[in-house]
Amino acid sequence: MCGIVGYIGPRNATPIILNGLRRLEYRGYDSAGIAVMEKEKIEIRREAGKLANLDRLVEREPLSGAPGIGHTRWATHGAPSARNAHPHLGNSGRVVVVHNGIVENFLEIKEELVSEGVVFNSDTDTETIVHLVERYQSSGLNLIESSRKTFQHIQGAHGVVLMSADEPDKIVCARIGNAGGVVIGLGDGENFIASDIPAILEHTRRVIFLESRQMAVITRNSVLVETIGGEKITPQIHVVAFDPVAAEKGEYRHFMQKEIHEQVRSLTDTLAGRVDFERGRVRLPELNLTPEIANRIEKIYITACGTAAYAGMVGKTLIEKIARIPVEVVIGSEFRYSDPIINRNTVVLAISQSGETADTLAAMEEGRKKGAIIWSIVNAIGSQAMRVADGSISMQTGPEIGVASTKAFTAPLVDQYMLAILLADLRGVIDEKTRKSLVADLRLVPDLVGRALQREPDVEKIAYLLKDIRGCLYLGRGINMPIAYEGALKLKEISYIHAEGYPAGEMKHGPIALIDENMPVVCIAPKDPWHEKMISQIQQARARQGTVIAVASDGDDLVSGIADHILWIPESPWMLSPLVTVIPLQLLAYHIATIRGLDVDQPRNLAKSVTVE
Ligand code: AGP
């Protein structure tokens, strides 16, 4: 997902923008650029590759002034290059744009503009935006009105920021659909724009989130928000709680390692204020869940992407087991094309760390269109998935910077466990003794996860054994089957080793042909209701010379007697076991990737939040 930073005020915009873009690096990008108003002329510097390349260019060819806008680009149309990097300048040399999203009708617009003699200087869809603004300006409209007409003309989802040398006292921006956020930071005699909060937190914590189809005109001392149709809006000003220092690595080598180890705190935080251990009850007031609603729910769709979808698969087992409500997990990119059967008694529950994943947001819109109750479990404060839902449970983990999701995987497991208890309680399908026992088990979570994390040195030893493998199978059953998928995804996305998560019982129907001495098999075999079945799975893999790495509960002599290597974890209540079984698999993927010398926090080809389809 692209990163955007803008500044208007008395200071030199250049360092503010470059530092802000650095705080957005985790979003993944392949080129970067900056434009600054210097003596009423627009200066631009752009480079392919990482921000360090742009820094070096700016050192060689400094630029200074304000306002300014900057951008990190994740290529969609046009290869990653300086030529295609944003900002893009119009042919007049007086208007410049940065953009997040896709201009879905850009071909049609480009043909129209070229036929009018407009010269294009890049292969991007974004360039159509600045040429459209110039076309409207040439008909006599000012920057605001030219921008408005352009925002009405382009189709798709966008975050757009423009500025003009003819009107250097303002910046114009807009948010259309779900292409990542547009956040306005309110300073004292200066204002900021960004696609995400970390970019501007060191300057201000007072922010305005633009909603879809809203635009803003920003000067040093004013922010005017309206719909792109022209209706004036009085925006809500949020004060952002989290501390920018929290978004730093601390003593860890990578954000990912820090966030894996943060899970004791982040799980404590996701429980905070929601569990009454005395009375054995949970509270999720932000869900606006009444007994009337709870009792008429007939089905829950859980929709999400990637890691978040695997968290939803665990949630399915928890909600069906505890609250006895049918649950179906449908990945975001399939949901809206599956013509889901929905009525007013259906819940669509979206899970999303960023709250900006286009496929997940589109699934929520599909549910809304069909009359469902829309809930979400989200980490990013103020994100779209949090704002459009009827009720939203915050993961409360603090910012997750590493592209590979870890703490934002375990938090929704606990959130869904609490949701299941609340639903069961309101629907009267759980007796007090069972409810109190399930709630009491939540008290164990931080300690269980902390003890699993303490085994990191043992995990690192096994990582050395696996660092040169060409492929790996992850097998799990029941509530831990999704952990097989998640463990495999972690290894794939940061070590670039092919790995496949599979329902262990399915191996004998074909995939077992893959197993030989070159195909290690990770078997997730904690003391849970499927433990016995996993024992035979391990034996089947060993019988075919597969090297078995088993995730096993402390003291399990059965498993340790048949597996080649053990990733020990503390024994836990089976419904909480995924919180624990996933820890060694997060660490295993992290250490294999680190040993292989790869960019753990920003893996190739990946973005932290995929805001395009
Ligand atoms: C997880 O490690 C990946 N980075 C990816 O699968 C991610 O979970 C997915 O893109 C969903 O992102 P979200 O939670 O922000 O919606």
Side-chain angles (χ1 to χ4, degrees):
M1 179 161 81
C2 308
I4 290 176
V5 180
Y7 171 76
I8 186 162
R11 291 189 281 164
N12 176 12
T14 301
I16 292 170
I17 290 169
L18 293 176
N19 288 332
L21 291 176
R22 255 184 286 287
R23 292 193 185 282
L24 299 180
E25 279 197 289
Y26 63 87
R27 297 157 71 104
Y29 65 100
D30 41 48
S31 58
I34 178 174
V36 163
M37 204 66 72
E38 197 170 70
K39 302 186 185 70
E40 304 217 334
K41 183 175 169 302
I42 295 174
E43 282 295 328
I44 293 184
R45 305 286 184 272
R46 303 182 298 180
E47 270 296 9
K50 295 301 183 191
L51 270 175
N53 298 346
L54 181 62
D55 286 341
R56 279 191 287 276
L57 174 59
V58 169
E59 265 168 44
R60 290 196 309 273
E61 301 170 33
L63 69 174
S64 164
I69 55 179
H71 187 266
T72 48
R73 177 175 180 252
W74 189 57
T76 53
H77 294 71
S81 63
R83 178 172 180 272
N84 289 327
H86 305 198
H88 285 286
L89 193 63
N91 290 330
S92 71
R94 309 289 293 166
V95 187
V96 69
V97 69
V98 294
H99 169 237
N100 193 358
I102 293 178
V103 180
E104 291 181 355
N105 54 338
F106 96 96
L107 277 176
E108 161 200 328
I109 295 173
K110 183 167 182 175
E111 278 162 25
E112 205 179 298
L113 291 167
V114 167
S115 70
E116 293 166 7
V118 172
V119 175
F120 276 73
N121 306 300
S122 77
D123 309 320
T124 67
D125 55 320
T126 298
E127 203 184 336
T128 55
I129 296 173
V130 68
H131 294 318
L132 277 176
V133 170
E134 288 189 329
R135 176 213 261 181
Y136 293 122
Q137 282 181 318
S138 64
S139 67
L141 295 179
N142 63 18
L143 177 65
I144 297 171
E145 292 314 313
S146 303
S147 302
R148 183 197 311 284
K149 287 189 77 65
T150 299
F151 300 150
Q152 292 167 347
H153 193 143
I154 57 178
Q155 290 167 14
H158 311 282
V160 190
V161 185
L162 289 142
M163 64 183 194
S164 166
D166 297 328
E167 300 179 58
D169 64 328
K170 62 177 72 75
I171 289 179
V172 179
C173 62
R175 171 182 190 146
I176 303 166
N178 312 312
V182 176
V183 182
I184 299 165
L186 306 176
D188 181 5
E190 58 184 13
N191 286 312
F192 308 81
I193 301 165
S195 46
D196 201 353
I197 294 173
I200 53 177
L201 254 187
E202 65 184 285
H203 304 295
T204 178
R205 294 194 185 178
R206 297 171 60 241
V207 298
I208 291 168
F209 298 105
L210 280 196
E211 302 279 350
S212 178
R213 305 200 71 75
Q214 289 184 352
M215 64 186 280
V217 179
I218 304 167
T219 68
R220 288 183 174 197
N221 296 302
S222 68
V223 177
L224 295 176
V225 178
E226 55 189 33
T227 65
I228 58 174
E231 180 201 341
K232 293 275 177 284
I233 301 277
T234 306
Q236 187 183 350
I237 297 176
H238 301 261
V239 178
V240 180
F242 79 78
D243 175 344
V245 176
E248 292 306 323
K249 277 183 256 190
E251 76 273 16
Y252 294 101
R253 279 183 64 190
H254 301 99
F255 280 113
M256 183 180 177
Q257 189 186 27
K258 170 175 174 278
E259 287 151 7
I260 289 172
H261 283 275
E262 264 184 350
Q263 290 177 104
V264 175
R265 182 198 53 73
S266 58
L267 287 165
T268 305
D269 289 352
T270 208
L271 288 167
R274 292 168 167 167
V275 186
D276 177 344
F277 286 110
E278 297 316 310
R279 294 175 40 240
R281 282 206 141 82
V282 296
R283 285 186 297 272
L284 295 169
E286 63 273 45
L287 212 49
N288 307 316
L289 179 58
T290 63
E292 185 276 326
I293 292 174
N295 282 288
R296 65 178 168 87
I297 295 171
E298 294 164 358
K299 175 168 184 175
I300 297 175
Y301 279 107
I302 297 178
T303 187
C305 301
T307 285
Y310 303 147
M313 290 178 187
V314 174
K316 168 185 167 64
T317 301
L318 294 171
I319 295 169
E320 289 189 339
K321 181 71 184 170
I322 299 170
R324 310 307 296 158
I325 299 172
V327 178
E328 185 177 349
V329 180
V330 182
I331 56 175
S333 52
E334 291 296 322
F335 188 81
R336 68 187 177 291
Y337 301 117
S338 64
D339 192 14
I341 298 164
I342 286 174
N343 61 38
R344 64 184 295 276
N345 300 326
T346 309
V347 169
V348 171
L349 170 61
I351 302 175
S352 177
Q353 188 289 129
S354 64
E356 300 290 354
T357 299
D359 288 329
T360 306
L361 293 171
M364 295 174 80
E365 281 171 9
E366 177 71 10
R368 175 70 77 202
K369 233 167 39 190
K370 293 197 167 194
I373 299 162
I374 307 296
W375 291 343
S376 63
I377 299 176
V378 181
N379 195 36
I381 300 157
S383 59
Q384 190 78 342
M386 186 173 271
R387 292 206 304 280
V388 302
D390 297 314
S392 185
I393 301 171
S394 168
M395 294 183 193
Q396 297 177 166
T397 77
E400 184 177 73
I401 308 298
V403 167
S405 192
T406 49
K407 62 181 181 174
F409 171 75
T410 48
L413 303 188
V414 168
D415 295 332
Q416 293 173 103
Y417 181 94
M418 291 191 286
L419 173 61
I421 294 170
L422 184 59
L423 286 166
D425 195 9
L426 290 169
R427 291 165 69 95
V429 298
I430 190 170
D431 59 55
E432 185 176 24
K433 181 169 173 286
T434 308
R435 191 194 72 238
K436 286 190 168 182
S437 165
L438 290 173
V439 170
D441 285 347
L442 282 169
R443 209 191 286 273
L444 306 172
V445 166
D447 176 59
L448 287 169
V449 171
R451 285 160 55 201
L453 287 167
Q454 284 164 0
R455 286 62 179 313
E456 182 171 19
D458 301 334
V459 179
E460 196 172 357
K461 288 192 190 99
I462 293 176
Y464 272 100
L465 300 175
L466 300 178
K467 65 184 177 56
D468 299 318
I469 60 173
R470 310 273 302 146
C472 190
L473 277 172
Y474 286 68
L475 306 182
R477 291 187 81 125
I479 198 168
N480 280 291
M481 183 182 70
I483 303 305
Y485 299 149
E486 172 58 10
L489 176 60
K490 287 284 120 6
L491 187 65
K492 277 183 279 212
E493 64 178 332
I494 62 174
S495 72
Y496 314 148
I497 295 170
H498 182 257
E500 192 168 4
Y502 228 86
E506 271 295 287
M507 286 306 292
K508 53 190 176 295
H509 301 291
I512 200 162
L514 289 170
I515 298 181
D516 61 18
E517 63 282 3
N518 301 315
M519 177 61 79
V521 186
V522 174
C523 292
I524 302 153
K527 292 269 180 69
D528 66 8
W530 298 272
H531 181 255
E532 291 313 309
K533 299 287 180 196
M534 285 307 294
I535 297 285
S536 63
Q537 220 66 59
I538 293 170
Q539 286 162 334
Q540 286 172 29
R542 291 295 309 281
R544 286 146 183 93
Q545 288 73 51
T547 301
V548 173
I549 300 98
V551 178
S553 303
D554 288 342
D556 186 342
D557 299 334
L558 253 180
V559 172
S560 61
I562 55 174
D564 297 284
H565 307 285
I566 304 289
L567 294 167
W568 292 110
I569 56 171
E571 191 167 349
S572 73
W574 73 267
M575 283 191 254
L576 295 173
S577 62
L579 286 165
V580 194
T581 54
V582 77
I583 299 297
L585 304 187
Q586 293 172 341
L587 291 168
L588 184 64
Y590 170 76
H591 283 291
I592 291 175
T594 308
I595 294 163
R596 289 162 69 98
L598 297 171
D599 186 347
V600 170
D601 282 336
Q602 297 171 35
R604 68 185 182 196
N605 309 338
L606 295 186
K608 180 58 184 171
S609 169
V610 184
T611 60
V612 293
E613 274 201 41

